[in-house]
Amino acid sequence: MPKIVNHEERRDEVVAAARRVILRDGIEAATTRAIAKEAGYSNGVLTHYFADKDDILVSALEASHRRIAERLREKLAGLTGLAALREVLLDNVPLDEERVRETGLEVGFWGRSLTSPGLLEVQRREAAELRYVVVSLLRSAAAAGEIRADEDLGDAAERLLALVDGLSVHRLLYPDRVPGDRLERLILRELDLLAA
């Protein structure tokens, strides 16, 4: 009797293996051979489930974003306005080991995205979704009178997102200069500047 294979499970195993390789060795080391070896499969198995290496990498990036979104949904339950925005911003910076790994994975994809249309599309789509959340929460905060009425919400969103990205990279590169408490303080200070 032939062995029954759960294709979705096997695909998930390959994506998880790709994530482990990227986190441990960097995105450059995430070759199909290395991913297959990490997953315990042959290269042929990978070609059965994925069109190419970028398809695997896109799947790994999307899986990481889904985990983050799921965690955020739990944190935001019952929150609105500035309280919710605070959680979104702080969840998107490397303040603990899990988020250090997520940030490292994300930053690793940035350079490759510039030469891979598939990865760039995912990055832009996911960034647009995060920006939409930030702008929506700013609108909610403005409607509740929590932020200054003269604030351009689009500009505020760009500043906040740039701050998150910049501080995240600085935290990874210069952890002694940007410890977690300082990173958090800088983000909260920017929110204080928006407050009414």
Side-chain angles (χ1 to χ4, degrees):
M1 180 175 220
K3 181 180 176 185
I4 297 174
V5 175
N6 182 328
H7 297 289
E8 189 173 324
E9 187 177 294
R10 185 166 283 183
R11 190 176 159 82
D12 289 346
E13 289 171 359
V14 171
V15 169
R19 183 176 192 269
R20 288 191 303 272
V21 170
I22 294 166
L23 291 174
R24 185 182 61 236
D25 305 323
I27 197 165
E28 308 80 28
T31 63
T32 53
R33 182 180 304 245
I35 294 166
K37 182 178 179 186
E38 180 75 21
Y41 296 126
S42 68
N43 271 3
V45 169
L46 270 61
T47 60
H48 181 73
Y49 294 103
F50 299 92
D52 56 20
K53 177 178 151 178
D54 274 358
D55 189 21
I56 299 170
L57 296 178
V58 164
S59 297
L61 184 59
E62 289 174 330
S64 180
H65 289 166
R66 279 193 304 274
R67 277 191 294 281
I68 294 166
E70 197 173 292
R71 183 178 66 229
L72 259 177
R73 267 191 294 279
E74 292 175 16
K75 286 184 175 184
L76 296 181
L79 297 178
T80 60
L82 279 182
L85 182 58
R86 177 184 185 279
E87 289 301 321
V88 167
L89 297 177
L90 292 178
D91 192 75
N92 275 277
V93 292
L95 291 174
D96 58 34
E97 193 55 42
E98 179 181 8
R99 289 178 287 169
V100 165
R101 288 192 304 271
E102 289 169 351
T103 302
L105 182 119
E106 189 74 28
V107 169
F109 274 99
W110 288 354
R112 184 163 176 88
S113 294
L114 297 176
T115 59
S116 168
L119 283 173
L120 185 58
E121 180 185 328
V122 171
Q123 289 284 21
R124 287 181 172 166
R125 183 182 68 234
E126 300 287 338
E129 287 177 17
L130 178 58
R131 186 181 188 283
Y132 174 80
V133 168
V134 169
V135 170
S136 297
L137 292 173
L138 284 167
R139 282 192 184 118
S140 170
E146 295 177 321
I147 61 174
R148 294 189 326 267
D150 65 337
E151 186 67 47
D152 180 297
L153 301 184
D155 288 352
E158 292 304 327
R159 281 195 321 272
L160 291 170
L161 292 168
L163 184 66
V164 164
D165 287 347
L167 287 174
S168 293
V169 171
H170 281 227
R171 173 95 171 108
L172 294 181
L173 293 175
Y174 320 112
D176 293 337
R177 193 175 84 201
V178 188
D181 59 337
R182 184 175 195 196
L183 188 156
E184 186 171 348
R185 188 176 70 250
L186 290 168
I187 288 177
L188 295 179
R189 175 68 180 133
E190 189 65 26
L191 288 178
D192 288 344
L193 293 173
L194 290 171

